[in-house]
């Protein structure tokens, strides 16, 4: 503003107080401090100049240069610089409180503050320790389509779990390295090993995440062997590009270009979603696999069941031979269609960090088979022998 408190080049706009850079009188290039003694006088002058403007009288400049400076530093001590004199200690503190008290509006407010300050001289402070047990150890994150959660190279502070929606991990070339959907987690490799995130994380659609801070997650990974094994498996997913190239190099190019329907296992060991524990155990005995597809009455794929999760389910006291397997924690495996190439199916499995995928006749259709990477490698070995 100019000395009359008008905004430069906008004479109809006025400003005072902390929002105004007011030139200090007789001090070239300096501005008034943003303190109460200046702000109060600027407000008074601004009101006077407005009246002068309406009455077409000459405006008055702001010429106040200050009476001094006071600052409390605690423990009944302060520092002061008044009319060229500098001093500190209790006298400066008492003067600071007196000036502060005189500026409070209203007699009732002055009396209340004065009584409160007087009691502080004779009694200790009333302190209260807030109970920390309600501190939240996680945060919820909402993302709209196209929102970026983090960029490649940024330091990692959290482990993320997809609550709903989908997150795509994208490399610098724009290729989707891995897609994470409901129930999947990511970020643990960068969190544990450091070095920053290896990919850009972008929301594919409206997505809800749960973010767990490193101070919560790291003690589990560092102190538990089981968590360590989980970490070792998921860490391998971060090197999907190298793993994909390595597996593809061991397969016949002709095999890679064949449709999945030509090489899949067409008799998957499937369970009905209304099957009992007894029926599941009988199937496990006959067909020894690590995972089993679960289908509905129309043979549409519902979810996947793993032996390990099924065994954990059996440990519960309320589980009997007739309990339904629908209570088992579902396991996620990728799904592809029968007409896609082996190369596409292999890429989907590697990027998901899985060793097999289920095959349906059409997207969301009936289960018609299962394809495993080990079966592909075995087929390649047979062809080489022949």
């Amino acid at each position: 503003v100019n000395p009359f408190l008008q905004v430069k080049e906008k004479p109809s706009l006025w400003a005072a107080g902390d929002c105004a850079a007011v030139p200090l009188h007789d001090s070239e290039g300096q501005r008034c401090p943003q303190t109460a003694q200046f702000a109060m006088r600027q407000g008074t002058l601004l009101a006077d100049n407005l009246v002068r403007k309406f009455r077409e009288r000459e405006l008055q400049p702001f010429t106040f240069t200050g009476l001094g400076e006071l600052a409390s530093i605690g423990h009944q001590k302060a520092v002061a610089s008044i009319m060229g004199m500098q001093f500190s200690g209790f006298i400066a503190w008492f003067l600071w409180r007196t000036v502060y008290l005189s500026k409070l509006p209203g007699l009732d407010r002055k009396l209340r503050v004065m009584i409160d300050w007087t009691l502080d001289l004779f009694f200790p402070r009333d302190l209260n320790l807030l109970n920390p047990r309600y501190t939240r150890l996680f945060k919820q994150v909402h993302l709209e389509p196209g929102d970026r959660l983090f960029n490649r190279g940024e330091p990692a502070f959290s482990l993320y779990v997809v609550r709903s929606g989908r997150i795509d991990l994208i490399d610098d070339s724009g290729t989707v390295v891995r897609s994470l959907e409901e129930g999947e987690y990511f970020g643990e490799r960068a969190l544990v090993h450091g070095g920053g995130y290896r990919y850009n994380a972008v929301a594919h659609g409206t997505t809800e995440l749960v973010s767990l801070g490193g101070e919560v997650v790291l003690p589990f990974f560092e102190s538990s062997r089981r968590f360590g094994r989980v970490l070792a498996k998921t860490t391998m997913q971060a090197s999907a590009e190298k793993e994909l190239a390595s597996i593809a190099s061991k397969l016949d190019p002709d095999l890679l270009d064949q449709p999945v329907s030509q090489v899949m296992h067409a008799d998957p060991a499937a369970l009905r979603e209304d099957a009992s524990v007894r029926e599941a155990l009988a199937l496990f005995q006959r067909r020894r696999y690590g995972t089993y597809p679960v289908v509905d009455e129309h043979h549409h794929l519902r979810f996947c069941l793993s032996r390990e999760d099924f065994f954990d389910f059996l440990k519960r006291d309320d589980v009997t031979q007739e309990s339904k397997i629908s209570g088992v924690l579902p396991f996620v495996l990728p799904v592809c269609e029968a007409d896609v190439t082996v190369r596409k199916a292999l890429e989907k499995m590697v990027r998901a960090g899985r060793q097999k995928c289920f095959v349906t006749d059409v997207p969301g259709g009936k289960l018609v088979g299962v394809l495993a990477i080990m079966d592909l490698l075995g087929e390649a070995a047979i062809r080489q022998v022949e």
Side-chain angles (χ1 to χ4, degrees):
V1 299
N2 61 25
F4 308 110
L5 305 181
Q6 294 172 300
V7 176
K8 295 179 179 179
E9 301 179 359
K10 299 281 186 180
S12 61
L13 185 62
W14 306 70
D18 288 353
C19 69
V22 182
L24 187 62
H25 185 64
D26 290 337
S27 299
E28 186 67 27
Q30 296 189 35
R31 297 172 179 174
C32 297
Q34 293 174 320
T35 58
Q37 60 176 313
F38 282 88
M40 292 174 63
R41 289 168 174 82
Q42 289 169 12
T44 302
L45 178 67
L46 192 153
D48 290 342
N49 277 342
L50 281 176
V51 174
R52 291 174 181 272
K53 183 73 173 179
F54 293 145
R55 296 177 178 176
E56 298 183 352
R57 296 170 57 185
E58 183 181 0
L59 302 181
Q60 297 295 315
F62 186 74
T63 58
F64 180 71
T65 57
L67 301 174
E69 301 291 339
L70 287 163
S72 173
I73 58 176
H75 298 282
Q76 299 180 4
K77 291 181 174 60
V79 291
S81 176
I82 300 177
M83 308 296 286
M85 297 182 294
Q86 297 181 357
F87 52 97
S88 61
F90 180 81
I91 296 178
W93 176 79
F94 184 81
L95 180 61
W96 172 80
R97 285 210 162 180
T98 302
V99 173
Y100 193 98
L101 192 65
S102 67
K103 301 298 182 182
L104 290 177
L107 179 61
D108 59 335
R109 187 173 287 105
K110 284 184 171 67
L111 289 175
R112 289 178 182 179
V113 173
M114 184 175 64
I115 293 172
D116 188 46
W117 284 356
T118 302
L119 292 175
D120 283 344
L121 294 173
F122 302 101
F123 300 101
R125 291 185 179 183
D126 184 13
L127 301 178
N128 182 35
L129 176 64
L130 298 177
N131 194 325
R133 69 173 177 266
Y134 299 109
T135 300
R136 299 185 66 179
L137 300 179
F138 67 92
K139 294 187 295 183
Q140 298 188 39
V141 182
H142 173 82
L143 298 175
E144 289 296 324
D147 285 352
R148 186 164 293 202
L149 179 64
F150 53 73
N151 295 311
R152 182 179 182 275
E154 290 182 357
F157 299 103
S158 300
L159 170 73
Y160 296 96
V161 180
V162 182
R163 191 171 184 179
S164 64
R166 169 179 150 187
I167 288 288
D168 289 335
L169 300 183
I170 303 174
D171 61 19
D172 289 338
S173 66
T175 302
V176 177
V177 175
R178 186 182 172 204
S179 294
L180 302 121
E181 299 180 343
E182 182 178 345
E184 296 186 277
Y185 61 93
F186 60 100
E188 71 287 345
R189 182 189 184 282
L191 185 64
V192 175
H193 297 294
Y197 294 112
R198 299 188 62 180
Y199 303 106
N200 305 312
V202 181
H204 181 76
T206 301
T207 303
E208 300 287 341
L209 304 174
V210 175
S211 170
L212 300 172
E215 67 276 9
V216 179
V217 177
L218 287 177
F220 285 97
F221 283 130
E222 293 172 353
S223 60
S224 170
R225 291 184 179 180
R226 184 165 186 176
F227 275 109
R229 289 196 297 269
V230 172
L231 177 62
K233 292 181 180 179
T234 56
T235 297
M236 292 176 61
Q237 298 171 11
S239 58
E241 294 296 333
K242 294 182 178 178
E243 185 179 347
L244 180 60
S246 175
I247 296 175
S249 67
K250 298 177 175 64
L251 300 178
D252 188 336
D254 293 336
L255 178 64
L256 290 172
D257 294 329
Q258 289 186 18
V260 169
S261 58
Q262 297 297 316
V263 295
M264 70 180 184
H265 184 62
D267 183 25
L271 283 163
R272 284 278 297 269
E273 60 182 337
D274 58 353
S276 65
V277 168
R278 186 191 307 278
E279 293 170 319
L281 289 172
L283 179 64
F284 290 177
Q285 185 66 24
R286 298 193 310 269
R287 309 282 294 274
R288 298 180 179 274
Y289 299 114
T291 54
Y292 300 83
V294 178
V295 297
D296 61 15
E297 57 182 344
H298 303 295
H299 214 65
H300 290 117
L301 183 65
R302 297 291 293 164
F303 61 91
C304 179
L305 184 149
S306 74
R307 277 181 174 267
E308 184 176 359
D309 293 332
F310 181 77
F311 180 66
D312 289 338
F313 178 68
L314 291 179
K315 296 176 184 178
R316 290 169 39 179
D317 293 336
D318 59 336
V319 174
T320 67
Q321 291 278 337
E322 304 308 321
S323 297
K324 301 301 181 182
I325 63 170
S326 57
V328 182
L329 185 68
F331 188 76
V332 179
L333 279 180
V335 180
C336 67
E337 292 73 55
D339 58 350
V340 303
T341 63
V342 172
R343 188 187 304 274
K344 289 291 185 182
L346 178 62
E347 181 179 344
K348 201 165 192 178
M349 286 185 280
V350 172
R351 293 197 188 284
R354 304 301 186 190
Q355 298 179 11
K356 64 171 62 175
C357 71
F358 294 123
V359 183
T360 57
D361 53 357
V362 294
K366 294 182 179 180
L367 179 70
V368 295
V370 61
L371 182 69
I373 293 179
M374 288 300 295
D375 292 340
L376 294 175
L377 294 173
E379 178 68 20
I382 292 174
R383 290 189 179 190
Q384 290 177 359
V385 172
E386 294 177 347

